Amino acid sequence: MRRLVAIAAAIAVLSACEREDREFRPPPVGTEAEAPVTLSSIAPGTGPAERPGEMGQAYEENAYHLSEGKRLFTWFNCKGCHANGGGGSGPALMDDSWIYGGALLNVVQTIREGRPNGMPSFRGKIPEEQIMQIAAYVRSMERQVPQDAAPGRNDDLMPRPSEHRLPARPAVPGGTVPPSGQAPQ
Amino acid sequence: MRCCRPALVALPLTLTGCTGWQSSLDPQGPQADTLATMFWVFTAILALVWLLTMAALFLSLRRARAERAGPLVLEPQAERSMTRAVSAAVAFTAAIVIALTVVSYAAQRALFSSHEAPLTLLVKGHQWWWEVTYEDGQPSRRFTTANEIHVPVGQPVLIKLQSSDVIHSFWVPSLAGKMDIVPGRENRLVIEASKDGIFRGQCAEFCGWQHAHMAIAVVAHPAEEFERWRENQISAAEPPDDPLRKRGMEIFLSRPCVMCHQIRGTPAAGKVAPDLTHVGSRLHIAAGTLPNSRGNLAAWITDPQGIKPGAHMPLMKLAGDEIEPLTRYLEGLR
Protein backbone atom coordinates (compact mmCIF):
# COMPACT_ATOMS: atom_id res chain seq x y z
CA MET A 1 0.00 0.00 0.00
CA ARG A 2 2.76 2.38 1.03
CA ARG A 3 4.60 1.63 -2.20
CA LEU A 4 1.50 2.47 -4.24
CA VAL A 5 1.21 5.81 -2.46
CA ALA A 6 4.90 6.53 -3.18
CA ILE A 7 4.45 5.73 -6.87
CA ALA A 8 1.35 7.91 -7.08
CA ALA A 9 3.22 10.73 -5.35
CA ALA A 10 6.15 10.40 -7.79
CA ILE A 11 3.78 10.62 -10.75
CA ALA A 12 2.08 13.64 -9.19
CA VAL A 13 5.48 15.33 -8.76
CA LEU A 14 6.27 14.76 -12.45
CA SER A 15 3.10 16.56 -13.45
CA ALA A 16 4.63 19.77 -12.06
CA CYS A 17 7.47 19.66 -14.59
CA GLU A 18 5.54 21.40 -17.31
CA ARG A 19 4.92 24.95 -16.21
CA GLU A 20 3.42 26.30 -19.39
CA ASP A 21 3.39 26.01 -23.14
CA ARG A 22 5.26 28.39 -25.34
CA GLU A 23 2.78 29.73 -27.80
CA PHE A 24 4.76 30.76 -30.82
CA ARG A 25 1.55 31.84 -32.47
CA PRO A 26 0.23 34.10 -29.69
CA PRO A 27 -3.48 34.04 -28.83
CA PRO A 28 -5.27 36.12 -31.44
CA VAL A 29 -6.03 39.66 -30.49
CA GLY A 30 -9.19 41.23 -31.87
CA THR A 31 -8.95 44.20 -34.14
CA GLU A 32 -8.85 47.61 -32.56
CA ALA A 33 -12.55 48.15 -33.18
CA GLU A 34 -13.38 45.09 -31.08
CA ALA A 35 -11.50 46.36 -28.05
CA PRO A 36 -13.05 49.60 -26.86
CA VAL A 37 -10.80 51.27 -24.35
CA THR A 38 -11.66 54.26 -22.22
CA LEU A 39 -8.98 56.84 -22.62
CA SER A 40 -10.33 59.20 -19.97
CA SER A 41 -12.51 58.97 -16.89
CA ILE A 42 -14.54 61.91 -18.17
CA ALA A 43 -17.37 60.69 -20.39
CA PRO A 44 -20.36 62.40 -21.98
CA GLY A 45 -23.85 61.57 -20.73
CA THR A 46 -24.83 60.02 -17.44
CA GLY A 47 -23.63 56.44 -17.86
CA PRO A 48 -20.44 55.37 -16.14
CA ALA A 49 -17.33 55.38 -18.27
CA GLU A 50 -16.53 52.14 -19.97
CA ARG A 51 -13.90 50.14 -18.14
CA PRO A 52 -11.17 48.28 -19.96
CA GLY A 53 -12.00 44.61 -20.29
CA GLU A 54 -10.09 41.66 -18.96
CA MET A 55 -8.62 40.77 -22.35
CA GLY A 56 -4.98 39.85 -22.40
CA GLN A 57 -4.99 37.80 -19.20
CA ALA A 58 -3.29 35.07 -21.22
CA TYR A 59 -0.39 37.40 -21.95
CA GLU A 60 0.15 38.47 -18.37
CA GLU A 61 0.17 34.98 -16.95
CA ASN A 62 2.59 33.52 -19.46
CA ALA A 63 6.32 33.78 -18.80
CA TYR A 64 7.18 33.38 -22.49
CA HIS A 65 5.06 36.35 -23.58
CA LEU A 66 6.50 38.46 -20.77
CA SER A 67 10.06 37.60 -21.75
CA GLU A 68 9.27 38.36 -25.38
CA GLY A 69 7.89 41.71 -24.22
CA LYS A 70 11.12 42.34 -22.35
CA ARG A 71 13.17 41.61 -25.48
CA LEU A 72 10.97 43.86 -27.63
CA PHE A 73 11.17 46.65 -25.02
CA THR A 74 14.87 46.84 -25.87
CA TRP A 75 14.54 46.03 -29.58
CA PHE A 76 12.07 48.84 -30.25
CA ASN A 77 14.08 51.25 -28.13
CA CYS A 78 11.46 51.93 -25.46
CA LYS A 79 14.57 52.24 -23.29
CA GLY A 80 15.54 55.32 -25.27
CA CYS A 81 12.99 57.43 -23.34
CA HIS A 82 11.78 55.27 -20.44
CA ALA A 83 15.22 53.87 -19.57
CA ASN A 84 14.90 50.52 -17.77
CA GLY A 85 11.57 51.63 -16.38
CA GLY A 86 12.93 54.40 -14.19
CA GLY A 87 12.04 57.05 -16.73
CA GLY A 88 14.10 59.56 -18.63
CA SER A 89 12.61 61.94 -21.10
CA GLY A 90 9.53 59.70 -20.84
CA PRO A 91 7.69 58.93 -17.59
CA ALA A 92 8.80 56.18 -15.25
CA LEU A 93 7.09 52.82 -15.78
CA MET A 94 8.11 51.04 -12.60
CA ASP A 95 6.22 53.30 -10.19
CA ASP A 96 2.58 52.79 -9.28
CA SER A 97 1.11 55.88 -10.91
CA TRP A 98 -0.39 55.65 -14.37
CA ILE A 99 -1.19 58.89 -16.16
CA TYR A 100 -3.42 57.16 -18.69
CA GLY A 101 -4.61 54.19 -16.67
CA GLY A 102 -2.72 51.14 -15.53
CA ALA A 103 -4.86 48.37 -17.05
CA LEU A 104 -3.28 46.28 -19.77
CA LEU A 105 -5.50 47.74 -22.47
CA ASN A 106 -4.66 51.30 -21.40
CA VAL A 107 -0.99 50.53 -21.92
CA VAL A 108 -1.78 48.83 -25.23
CA GLN A 109 -3.66 51.93 -26.31
CA THR A 110 -0.76 54.15 -25.28
CA ILE A 111 1.66 52.14 -27.40
CA ARG A 112 -0.69 51.81 -30.35
CA GLU A 113 -1.96 55.38 -30.54
CA GLY A 114 0.74 57.39 -28.80
CA ARG A 115 0.17 60.10 -26.20
CA PRO A 116 0.66 63.86 -26.11
CA ASN A 117 4.10 65.30 -25.52
CA GLY A 118 6.26 62.74 -27.14
CA MET A 119 4.95 59.16 -27.02
CA PRO A 120 4.87 58.13 -30.69
CA SER A 121 2.17 55.94 -32.20
CA PHE A 122 3.22 52.46 -33.25
CA ARG A 123 -0.05 51.66 -35.02
CA GLY A 124 0.68 49.32 -37.91
CA LYS A 125 4.37 49.23 -37.07
CA ILE A 126 4.20 46.66 -34.27
CA PRO A 127 1.91 43.63 -34.69
CA GLU A 128 -0.98 43.65 -32.19
CA GLU A 129 0.29 40.53 -30.42
CA GLN A 130 3.67 42.10 -29.83
CA ILE A 131 2.04 45.26 -28.47
CA MET A 132 0.21 43.05 -25.97
CA GLN A 133 3.51 41.38 -25.02
CA ILE A 134 5.23 44.74 -24.49
CA ALA A 135 2.29 46.10 -22.49
CA ALA A 136 2.24 42.98 -20.31
CA TYR A 137 5.97 43.41 -19.72
CA VAL A 138 5.51 47.08 -18.83
CA ARG A 139 3.01 46.02 -16.20
CA SER A 140 5.43 43.38 -14.91
CA MET A 141 7.89 46.17 -14.05
CA GLU A 142 5.50 47.09 -11.32
CA ARG A 143 4.75 43.42 -10.58
CA GLN A 144 1.16 43.63 -11.80
CA VAL A 145 1.61 40.08 -13.11
CA PRO A 146 1.93 36.74 -11.27
CA GLN A 147 5.33 36.33 -9.66
CA ASP A 148 6.06 32.97 -11.28
CA ALA A 149 5.50 34.43 -14.75
CA ALA A 150 7.47 37.69 -14.36
CA PRO A 151 10.94 37.70 -15.97
CA GLY A 152 13.48 36.45 -13.49
CA ARG A 153 16.81 37.28 -15.04
CA ASN A 154 18.52 40.30 -16.49
CA ASP A 155 21.14 39.87 -19.15
CA ASP A 156 22.78 43.22 -18.38
CA LEU A 157 23.48 45.26 -15.31
CA MET A 158 20.21 46.72 -14.10
CA PRO A 159 19.57 49.52 -11.61
CA ARG A 160 16.78 47.53 -9.98
CA PRO A 161 15.99 43.92 -9.07
CA SER A 162 14.58 41.71 -11.82
CA GLU A 163 10.83 41.86 -12.27
CA HIS A 164 9.88 38.75 -10.29
CA ARG A 165 11.65 40.10 -7.20
CA LEU A 166 9.78 43.39 -7.11
CA PRO A 167 7.01 43.79 -4.52
CA ALA A 168 3.51 43.60 -6.01
CA ARG A 169 1.70 46.90 -5.85
CA PRO A 170 -1.83 47.68 -7.00
CA ALA A 171 -1.99 50.21 -9.78
CA VAL A 172 -3.14 53.67 -8.87
CA PRO A 173 -4.98 55.17 -11.81
CA GLY A 174 -4.40 58.81 -12.53
CA GLY A 175 -1.04 59.93 -11.31
CA THR A 176 0.59 63.12 -12.35
CA VAL A 177 2.11 64.29 -15.54
CA PRO A 178 5.78 64.93 -14.79
CA PRO A 179 7.05 68.45 -15.52
CA SER A 180 8.94 67.10 -18.53
CA GLY A 181 5.66 65.77 -19.96
CA GLN A 182 3.62 68.92 -19.52
CA ALA A 183 2.77 71.16 -22.41
CA PRO A 184 4.90 74.27 -22.58
CA GLN A 185 3.29 77.14 -20.67
CA MET B 1 32.21 -14.49 -46.07
CA ARG B 2 28.46 -14.72 -46.45
CA CYS B 3 27.92 -13.09 -43.07
CA CYS B 4 30.14 -10.11 -43.97
CA ARG B 5 28.54 -9.34 -47.30
CA PRO B 6 25.97 -6.79 -45.99
CA ALA B 7 28.77 -5.04 -44.09
CA LEU B 8 30.96 -4.97 -47.19
CA VAL B 9 28.12 -3.42 -49.18
CA ALA B 10 27.27 -0.93 -46.44
CA LEU B 11 30.81 0.28 -45.77
CA PRO B 12 31.39 2.08 -49.11
CA LEU B 13 27.90 3.56 -48.81
CA THR B 14 28.78 5.16 -45.47
CA LEU B 15 31.98 6.53 -46.96
CA THR B 16 30.02 8.43 -49.62
CA GLY B 17 28.68 10.52 -46.72
CA CYS B 18 32.19 11.87 -46.17
CA THR B 19 32.28 14.16 -49.20
CA GLY B 20 30.02 17.08 -49.97
CA TRP B 21 29.63 20.70 -48.99
CA GLN B 22 29.78 20.11 -45.24
CA SER B 23 32.40 17.56 -44.29
CA SER B 24 35.61 17.76 -42.31
CA LEU B 25 36.80 14.63 -44.13
CA ASP B 26 36.65 16.50 -47.43
CA PRO B 27 38.89 19.48 -46.55
CA GLN B 28 38.86 22.48 -48.85
CA GLY B 29 41.41 24.73 -47.18
CA PRO B 30 44.73 24.61 -45.31
CA GLN B 31 43.12 24.81 -41.85
CA ALA B 32 40.74 21.96 -42.64
CA ASP B 33 43.66 20.04 -44.22
CA THR B 34 45.61 20.29 -40.98
CA LEU B 35 42.66 18.93 -39.03
CA ALA B 36 41.92 16.15 -41.52
CA THR B 37 45.58 15.07 -41.52
CA MET B 38 45.57 14.99 -37.74
CA PHE B 39 42.35 12.98 -37.77
CA TRP B 40 43.79 10.35 -40.13
CA VAL B 41 47.09 10.11 -38.20
CA PHE B 42 45.17 9.52 -34.97
CA THR B 43 42.82 7.05 -36.63
CA ALA B 44 45.62 5.05 -38.25
CA ILE B 45 47.81 4.83 -35.13
CA LEU B 46 44.94 4.04 -32.80
CA ALA B 47 43.53 1.46 -35.23
CA LEU B 48 46.94 -0.22 -35.30
CA VAL B 49 47.12 -0.19 -31.50
CA TRP B 50 43.64 -1.66 -31.26
CA LEU B 51 44.45 -4.41 -33.76
CA LEU B 52 47.70 -5.31 -31.95
CA THR B 53 45.94 -5.39 -28.59
CA MET B 54 43.17 -7.57 -29.90
CA ALA B 55 45.66 -9.91 -31.58
CA ALA B 56 47.65 -10.23 -28.35
CA LEU B 57 44.48 -10.92 -26.38
CA PHE B 58 43.38 -13.52 -28.89
CA LEU B 59 46.77 -15.27 -28.90
CA SER B 60 47.00 -15.33 -25.13
CA LEU B 61 43.53 -16.86 -24.91
CA ARG B 62 44.42 -19.55 -27.43
CA ARG B 63 47.86 -20.35 -26.02
CA ALA B 64 48.10 -23.62 -24.16
CA ARG B 65 49.09 -23.10 -20.56
CA ALA B 66 52.16 -24.86 -19.24
CA GLU B 67 51.62 -27.05 -16.23
CA ARG B 68 52.70 -25.45 -13.00
CA ALA B 69 54.24 -27.46 -10.20
CA GLY B 70 52.07 -25.75 -7.58
CA PRO B 71 50.35 -22.45 -6.87
CA LEU B 72 53.13 -21.18 -4.61
CA VAL B 73 56.09 -22.26 -6.72
CA LEU B 74 58.05 -19.32 -8.14
CA GLU B 75 59.11 -19.43 -11.76
CA PRO B 76 61.84 -16.83 -12.12
CA GLN B 77 62.29 -17.43 -15.84
CA ALA B 78 58.62 -16.83 -16.70
CA GLU B 79 58.37 -13.89 -14.26
CA ARG B 80 61.32 -12.18 -15.88
CA SER B 81 59.96 -12.51 -19.42
CA MET B 82 56.57 -11.27 -18.26
CA THR B 83 58.15 -8.22 -16.59
CA ARG B 84 59.99 -7.50 -19.81
CA ALA B 85 56.81 -7.77 -21.91
CA VAL B 86 54.78 -5.51 -19.59
CA SER B 87 57.57 -2.90 -19.41
CA ALA B 88 57.85 -2.87 -23.19
CA ALA B 89 54.05 -2.39 -23.56
CA VAL B 90 54.05 0.49 -21.02
CA ALA B 91 56.99 2.18 -22.74
CA PHE B 92 55.34 1.72 -26.13
CA THR B 93 52.03 3.20 -24.82
CA ALA B 94 53.81 6.19 -23.29
CA ALA B 95 55.70 6.80 -26.52
CA ILE B 96 52.48 6.72 -28.55
CA VAL B 97 50.63 9.04 -26.17
CA ILE B 98 53.53 11.52 -26.21
CA ALA B 99 53.83 11.33 -30.00
CA LEU B 100 50.08 11.96 -30.45
CA THR B 101 50.27 14.88 -28.02
CA VAL B 102 53.06 16.37 -30.11
CA VAL B 103 51.04 15.86 -33.32
CA SER B 104 48.00 17.53 -31.73
CA TYR B 105 50.10 20.40 -30.35
CA ALA B 106 51.75 20.98 -33.74
CA ALA B 107 48.32 21.08 -35.42
CA GLN B 108 47.08 23.65 -32.87
CA ARG B 109 50.20 25.73 -33.46
CA ALA B 110 49.60 25.66 -37.20
CA LEU B 111 45.91 26.60 -36.80
CA PHE B 112 46.30 29.44 -34.33
CA SER B 113 49.75 30.77 -35.24
CA SER B 114 48.48 33.70 -37.27
CA HIS B 115 45.69 36.17 -36.59
CA GLU B 116 46.63 38.41 -39.46
CA ALA B 117 44.68 38.41 -42.69
CA PRO B 118 43.97 40.93 -45.45
CA LEU B 119 40.21 40.52 -44.95
CA THR B 120 38.51 40.80 -41.56
CA LEU B 121 34.92 39.83 -40.87
CA LEU B 122 32.84 40.33 -37.79
CA VAL B 123 30.41 37.43 -37.44
CA LYS B 124 27.78 37.84 -34.77
CA GLY B 125 25.63 34.94 -33.66
CA HIS B 126 21.97 35.71 -32.98
CA GLN B 127 19.07 33.45 -32.11
CA TRP B 128 18.87 32.01 -34.85
CA TRP B 129 20.83 33.64 -37.63
CA TRP B 130 24.27 35.06 -38.41
CA GLU B 131 25.12 38.72 -38.86
CA VAL B 132 28.19 39.24 -41.03
CA THR B 133 30.02 42.58 -41.19
CA TYR B 134 32.89 43.13 -43.60
CA GLU B 135 35.31 45.45 -41.88
CA ASP B 136 37.32 48.02 -43.78
CA GLY B 137 39.63 50.89 -42.92
CA GLN B 138 37.29 53.20 -44.78
CA PRO B 139 33.95 53.38 -42.93
CA SER B 140 32.07 53.89 -46.19
CA ARG B 141 33.28 50.52 -47.43
CA ARG B 142 32.07 48.67 -44.37
CA PHE B 143 28.86 46.73 -44.89
CA THR B 144 26.64 44.17 -43.22
CA THR B 145 24.95 41.13 -44.64
CA ALA B 146 23.47 37.99 -43.14
CA ASN B 147 23.79 34.21 -43.17
CA GLU B 148 26.26 34.21 -46.05
CA ILE B 149 30.00 34.78 -46.17
CA HIS B 150 31.78 35.38 -49.45
CA VAL B 151 35.56 34.93 -49.48
CA PRO B 152 38.25 35.16 -52.13
CA VAL B 153 39.95 31.87 -52.98
CA GLY B 154 43.48 31.42 -51.62
CA GLN B 155 43.36 34.31 -49.15
CA PRO B 156 43.21 33.87 -45.40
CA VAL B 157 40.20 35.55 -43.81
CA LEU B 158 40.14 36.54 -40.15
CA ILE B 159 36.76 36.00 -38.51
CA LYS B 160 35.98 37.77 -35.24
CA LEU B 161 33.17 35.95 -33.49
CA GLN B 162 30.73 37.69 -31.18
CA SER B 163 27.36 36.78 -29.72
CA SER B 164 24.37 38.97 -29.04
CA ASP B 165 22.53 36.54 -26.79
CA VAL B 166 23.61 33.00 -25.88
CA ILE B 167 26.56 30.72 -26.63
CA HIS B 168 26.76 29.67 -30.27
CA SER B 169 29.52 27.88 -32.16
CA PHE B 170 30.77 28.68 -35.64
CA TRP B 171 31.55 25.57 -37.64
CA VAL B 172 32.21 25.26 -41.36
CA PRO B 173 33.58 21.71 -41.44
CA SER B 174 35.03 21.90 -44.95
CA LEU B 175 37.15 24.94 -44.03
CA ALA B 176 37.95 24.91 -40.32
CA GLY B 177 37.21 23.45 -36.92
CA LYS B 178 34.59 24.65 -34.47
CA MET B 179 35.00 27.87 -32.57
CA ASP B 180 32.60 28.73 -29.76
CA ILE B 181 30.99 32.16 -29.63
CA VAL B 182 30.70 33.34 -26.06
CA PRO B 183 28.68 36.41 -25.05
CA GLY B 184 30.92 39.19 -23.82
CA ARG B 185 34.11 38.05 -25.51
CA GLU B 186 35.54 37.90 -28.99
CA ASN B 187 37.00 34.67 -30.33
CA ARG B 188 39.05 34.67 -33.49
CA LEU B 189 39.42 32.15 -36.25
CA VAL B 190 41.25 32.19 -39.57
CA ILE B 191 39.74 30.35 -42.51
CA GLU B 192 40.91 29.97 -46.07
CA ALA B 193 39.35 28.27 -49.07
CA SER B 194 41.83 26.76 -51.50
CA LYS B 195 39.31 26.39 -54.29
CA ASP B 196 35.99 27.93 -55.24
CA GLY B 197 32.74 26.41 -54.13
CA ILE B 198 29.94 26.69 -51.61
CA PHE B 199 30.54 25.29 -48.16
CA ARG B 200 27.84 24.92 -45.56
CA GLY B 201 28.39 25.69 -41.93
CA GLN B 202 26.14 25.65 -38.94
CA CYS B 203 25.82 26.49 -35.32
CA ALA B 204 27.48 23.69 -33.36
CA GLU B 205 26.42 24.62 -29.83
CA PHE B 206 22.81 24.15 -28.81
CA CYS B 207 21.36 27.64 -28.64
CA GLY B 208 17.61 27.23 -28.35
CA TRP B 209 14.54 26.10 -30.23
CA GLN B 210 15.80 26.73 -33.75
CA HIS B 211 19.44 25.74 -33.25
CA ALA B 212 19.08 23.22 -36.08
CA HIS B 213 17.94 25.98 -38.45
CA MET B 214 20.94 28.23 -37.94
CA ALA B 215 23.10 27.58 -40.97
CA ILE B 216 25.58 29.75 -42.80
CA ALA B 217 26.89 29.40 -46.35
CA VAL B 218 30.48 30.21 -47.23
CA VAL B 219 30.88 31.04 -50.91
CA ALA B 220 34.47 31.06 -52.22
CA HIS B 221 35.07 33.02 -55.45
CA PRO B 222 38.14 33.84 -57.49
CA ALA B 223 39.54 37.18 -56.26
CA GLU B 224 38.16 39.42 -59.03
CA GLU B 225 34.69 37.91 -58.77
CA PHE B 226 34.82 38.47 -55.01
CA GLU B 227 35.72 42.13 -55.54
CA ARG B 228 32.74 42.52 -57.86
CA TRP B 229 30.48 40.96 -55.25
CA ARG B 230 31.90 43.23 -52.53
CA GLU B 231 31.40 46.41 -54.61
CA ASN B 232 27.80 45.38 -55.22
CA GLN B 233 27.19 44.71 -51.53
CA ILE B 234 28.70 48.06 -50.51
CA SER B 235 26.25 49.94 -52.73
CA ALA B 236 22.82 50.85 -51.34
CA ALA B 237 19.69 49.19 -52.68
CA GLU B 238 18.52 50.59 -56.00
CA PRO B 239 15.09 52.25 -55.81
CA PRO B 240 12.47 50.20 -57.64
CA ASP B 241 11.35 51.43 -61.06
CA ASP B 242 8.16 49.50 -61.83
CA PRO B 243 4.90 50.32 -59.99
CA LEU B 244 4.44 46.86 -58.49
CA ARG B 245 7.84 46.90 -56.80
CA LYS B 246 7.30 50.52 -55.73
CA ARG B 247 4.15 49.42 -53.98
CA GLY B 248 6.15 46.59 -52.39
CA MET B 249 8.62 49.09 -51.00
CA GLU B 250 5.78 51.20 -49.58
CA ILE B 251 4.37 48.10 -47.89
CA PHE B 252 7.78 47.26 -46.48
CA LEU B 253 8.22 50.75 -45.08
CA SER B 254 4.74 51.07 -43.59
CA ARG B 255 4.53 47.64 -41.97
CA PRO B 256 6.29 46.04 -39.02
CA CYS B 257 9.15 44.95 -41.37
CA VAL B 258 10.70 48.37 -40.98
CA MET B 259 10.97 48.08 -37.20
CA CYS B 260 13.64 45.36 -37.32
CA HIS B 261 15.18 45.11 -40.79
CA GLN B 262 17.52 47.42 -42.63
CA ILE B 263 17.56 48.20 -46.33
CA ARG B 264 20.33 50.67 -47.03
CA GLY B 265 19.07 53.42 -49.33
CA THR B 266 15.64 53.53 -47.66
CA PRO B 267 14.50 54.85 -44.25
CA ALA B 268 14.41 51.24 -42.98
CA ALA B 269 17.29 51.07 -40.53
CA GLY B 270 16.47 48.33 -38.02
CA LYS B 271 19.51 46.55 -36.69
CA VAL B 272 18.03 43.63 -34.80
CA ALA B 273 17.15 41.42 -37.77
CA PRO B 274 19.02 40.45 -40.95
CA ASP B 275 20.06 43.28 -43.28
CA LEU B 276 17.95 42.93 -46.44
CA THR B 277 19.77 45.42 -48.69
CA HIS B 278 20.75 42.67 -51.14
CA VAL B 279 18.54 39.84 -49.94
CA GLY B 280 17.67 38.82 -53.51
CA SER B 281 21.30 37.87 -54.17
CA ARG B 282 21.47 35.35 -51.33
CA LEU B 283 21.25 31.59 -51.71
CA HIS B 284 18.96 30.95 -48.76
CA ILE B 285 16.53 32.71 -46.47
CA ALA B 286 15.88 32.28 -42.75
CA ALA B 287 19.46 31.16 -42.02
CA GLY B 288 19.68 28.29 -44.50
CA THR B 289 16.17 27.06 -43.78
CA LEU B 290 14.72 27.61 -47.27
CA PRO B 291 16.26 28.14 -50.70
CA ASN B 292 15.80 31.74 -51.78
CA SER B 293 12.87 32.03 -54.15
CA ARG B 294 9.86 34.31 -54.36
CA GLY B 295 7.55 31.50 -53.31
CA ASN B 296 9.64 30.72 -50.24
CA LEU B 297 9.86 34.41 -49.35
CA ALA B 298 6.09 34.60 -49.50
CA ALA B 299 5.76 31.48 -47.34
CA TRP B 300 8.24 32.86 -44.82
CA ILE B 301 6.51 36.25 -44.59
CA THR B 302 3.06 34.71 -44.38
CA ASP B 303 3.79 32.11 -41.70
CA PRO B 304 7.24 32.37 -40.15
CA GLN B 305 6.14 30.51 -37.02
CA GLY B 306 5.01 27.53 -39.08
CA ILE B 307 8.41 27.26 -40.79
CA LYS B 308 10.67 28.12 -37.87
CA PRO B 309 8.67 28.05 -34.62
CA GLY B 310 10.08 30.40 -32.03
CA ALA B 311 11.99 32.59 -34.49
CA HIS B 312 11.76 36.29 -33.72
CA MET B 313 10.06 37.05 -37.04
CA PRO B 314 6.44 37.75 -36.00
CA LEU B 315 3.20 36.88 -37.70
CA MET B 316 2.24 40.07 -39.53
CA LYS B 317 -1.16 39.42 -41.04
CA LEU B 318 -0.56 41.15 -44.35
CA ALA B 319 -3.45 41.32 -46.76
CA GLY B 320 -3.45 38.76 -49.55
CA ASP B 321 -2.74 41.31 -52.27
CA GLU B 322 0.20 42.77 -50.36
CA ILE B 323 2.29 39.60 -50.56
CA GLU B 324 3.06 39.77 -54.26
CA PRO B 325 4.34 43.36 -54.43
CA LEU B 326 6.36 42.82 -51.25
CA THR B 327 8.02 39.62 -52.42
CA ARG B 328 8.68 41.12 -55.88
CA TYR B 329 10.35 44.05 -54.18
CA LEU B 330 12.51 41.83 -51.95
CA GLU B 331 13.37 39.43 -54.76
CA GLY B 332 14.62 42.37 -56.83
CA LEU B 333 17.04 43.57 -54.12
CA ARG B 334 20.10 42.09 -55.77
Side-chain angles (χ1 to χ4, degrees), chain A residues 22 24-25 29 64 68 71 75-76 122 124-127 129-130, chain B residues 209 254-256 258-260 272 303 305-306 309-310 312 314 317:
Chain A
R22 288 191 181 189
F24 294 136
R25 291 195 180 95
V29 174
Y64 177 65
E68 286 292 284
R71 174 175 64 79
W75 272 30
F76 295 152
F122 290 92
K125 290 290 197 295
I126 304 181
E129 287 80 7
Q130 290 193 337
Chain B
W209 281 85
S254 61
R255 299 287 164 173
V258 71
M259 294 292 286
C260 299
V272 291
D303 186 17
Q305 297 302 319
H312 292 324
K317 296 183 194 154

Side-chain angles (χ1 to χ4, degrees), chain A residues 102-146:
Chain A
L104 183 75
L105 287 189
N106 293 127
V107 184
V108 166
Q109 193 80 353
T110 300
I111 298 170
R112 190 201 285 138
E113 309 298 349
R115 296 291 184 187
N117 301 323
M119 176 76 191
S121 156
F122 290 92
R123 174 194 280 274
K125 290 290 197 295
I126 304 181
E128 289 290 312
E129 287 80 7
Q130 290 193 337
I131 294 183
M132 294 291 269
Q133 289 173 337
I134 299 169
Y137 170 65
V138 165
R139 273 168 57 81
S140 82
M141 285 185 196
E142 199 202 318
R143 263 295 313 288
Q144 298 287 315
V145 303

